Amino acid sequence: MAEAYEIKGEDGTVLEVLAADDEPRGEAAEPYTAPEPAETPEPAEDPEPSVEPTATVSIASRASWGARYPDGDLTLTGPAVEVWVHHSVTAQLPSDATVAAEAEQMRALESVGQTRFGTGISYNVVIFPSGRAYQGVSWNRRGTHTGGRNSTSRSICFAGNYEANSPTAAQISTAAAIYGYGKDRWWTQGAPLGGHRDVSQTACPGRNLYARLDDIRAGEGSTPPSPGEPGGLIVDGFWGSSTTRRLQQELGTPVDGVVSSQSVAWRDVNPGLTTGWRWVPDAQGSRVIAALQRKIGMASGDRDGKIGPQTIRALQRYLGTRVDGVISRESSAVMALQRRLNQGRV
């Protein structure tokens, strides 16, 4: 196994340490529990109905920054049970840095992981001071970010040195959005978020970022538009607002990330349909679904703008995936659609 890679400051402080897992599956030694919030306010006597957040998470794909090396060393099954915040201790780009400069830094980070471990970039997602986020090692692949816990956790890395610098508001907002969005997708609903220093002999993620972890845990946040190729979608098999927005762009319908007026009868049996879907008892249909029905060759009399088994089966046949009339979690049909959208087509 490759030795751990340490990055030290001028005073000898270990600012970051990257390592592979000792065991094939990298079982975590002890579960981590994040600190409890100081106080939870009492709910109002008559709370308003909860509103599904419409903010979407936008993460530039590996292709957008020019990934050249392996995507980790192992395909992982099931969601992570912990999330770790890191800093890269590489170049401290300004908040107005160009996408090209950020992509160059992503390739530099990838070179470090490839040289030390032979498995490409170490971290799952990297956030720059601009607030833009880039996919590192894919969510379902093992990286080398938190030694001994790589198979059971995922990582959110801030590009730069946060022992010496302060994270930007845009970075904190993006990290909060990713952490919240990842629950029940890339990690469990209850997966705690901690700093790398909590489980390793390192100052990572730096004192200034470590002091902001509560803001990431509690914040709702949002991410700026993803740079890169036309799609920039995460191919995760969940059809949320980002996927809808790209579909609307390709089909020439109004772009708002919302699939309006869909029958609530189909909501619970299609768990892969997530943010931006508007479920109502008396559905009237959506323009983007009607346009999709036309695109995939459904008869004119069947183009009602409503998702349901008939439309889903037609979409699955069109995409060449399993035909069962259901959009499941991590749906292969949605993954196929997302790949097409990232290529600028439906």
Side-chain angles (χ1 to χ4, degrees):
M1 185 184 72
E3 293 183 0
Y5 171 57
E6 293 185 348
I7 304 173
K8 295 183 179 180
E10 294 181 359
D11 62 355
T13 301
V14 178
L15 298 175
E16 171 65 308
V17 56
L18 300 174
D21 284 0
D22 294 325
E23 299 299 326
R25 296 298 301 175
E27 296 300 330
E30 295 181 5
Y32 172 73
T33 302
E36 292 291 333
E39 184 177 347
T40 303
E42 292 294 328
E45 292 185 5
D46 297 304
E48 293 293 327
S50 61
V51 178
E52 184 180 5
T54 58
T56 59
V57 169
S58 183
I59 301 175
S61 71
R62 288 169 52 83
S64 75
W65 54 266
R68 302 156 294 177
Y69 298 118
D71 185 6
D73 72 336
L74 181 69
T75 297
L76 304 173
T77 57
V81 297
E82 300 169 331
V83 182
W84 300 109
V85 177
H86 294 251
H87 66 167
S88 66
V89 201
T90 51
Q92 193 74 36
L93 296 185
S95 58
D96 61 353
T98 65
V99 169
E102 292 172 342
E104 182 180 3
Q105 286 302 305
M106 289 295 293
R107 292 190 294 273
L109 271 176
E110 184 190 40
S111 293
V112 171
Q114 179 64 20
T115 299
R116 296 291 174 171
F117 308 107
T119 55
I121 194 166
S122 294
Y123 307 103
N124 290 107
V125 66
V126 181
I127 305 171
F128 286 83
S130 65
R132 288 188 289 261
Y134 296 78
Q135 188 78 55
V137 62
S138 295
W139 297 115
N140 68 332
R141 296 285 293 171
R142 185 169 69 174
T144 51
H145 45 84
T146 314
R149 313 174 91 97
N150 293 310
S151 294
T152 56
S153 66
R154 304 295 181 268
S155 58
I156 298 174
C157 178
F158 282 51
N161 182 343
Y162 297 94
E163 186 74 10
N165 301 284
S166 295
T168 66
Q171 283 178 299
I172 298 298
S173 178
T174 292
I178 291 171
Y179 177 54
Y181 186 78
K183 294 178 178 180
D184 284 336
R185 290 182 175 84
W186 308 315
W187 37 82
T188 61
Q189 179 69 31
L193 177 138
H196 188 192
R197 64 193 284 182
D198 293 325
V199 291
S200 185
Q201 296 298 313
T202 174
C204 180
R207 59 184 177 180
N208 297 312
L209 176 52
Y210 192 79
R212 300 296 304 276
L213 293 190
D214 277 344
D215 296 326
I216 297 173
R217 295 181 186 112
E220 295 183 357
S222 62
T223 65
S226 173
E229 75 284 346
L233 292 171
I234 303 165
V235 180
D236 61 1
F238 291 93
W239 186 339
S241 298
S242 295
T243 298
T244 296
R245 187 174 287 108
R246 282 292 299 122
L247 184 63
Q248 290 168 328
Q249 291 170 345
E250 288 300 321
L251 294 176
T253 62
V255 178
D256 60 2
V258 173
V259 181
S260 60
S261 197
Q262 299 297 302
S263 174
V264 70
W266 303 121
R267 178 185 61 191
D268 294 341
V269 294
N270 292 289
L273 304 179
T274 58
T275 59
W277 288 79
R278 299 294 179 258
W279 304 104
V280 296
D282 185 18
Q284 301 302 310
S286 165
R287 289 178 63 179
V288 68
I289 298 300
L292 179 63
Q293 290 168 331
R294 184 182 307 110
K295 178 69 177 179
I296 63 179
M298 292 181 67
S300 57
D302 295 328
R303 301 173 195 167
D304 58 3
K306 303 174 189 178
I307 202 73
Q310 182 179 11
T311 297
I312 293 170
R313 288 191 188 97
L315 177 62
Q316 290 168 329
R317 283 192 290 269
Y318 177 82
L319 296 171
T321 62
R322 177 184 177 187
V323 178
D324 60 4
V326 173
I327 300 296
S328 60
R329 295 169 59 86
E330 300 180 339
S331 162
S332 60
V334 174
M335 289 182 187
L337 177 62
Q338 290 167 331
R339 291 189 189 99
R340 283 172 171 259
L341 292 172
N342 278 340
Q343 296 166 2
R345 63 193 182 101
V346 177

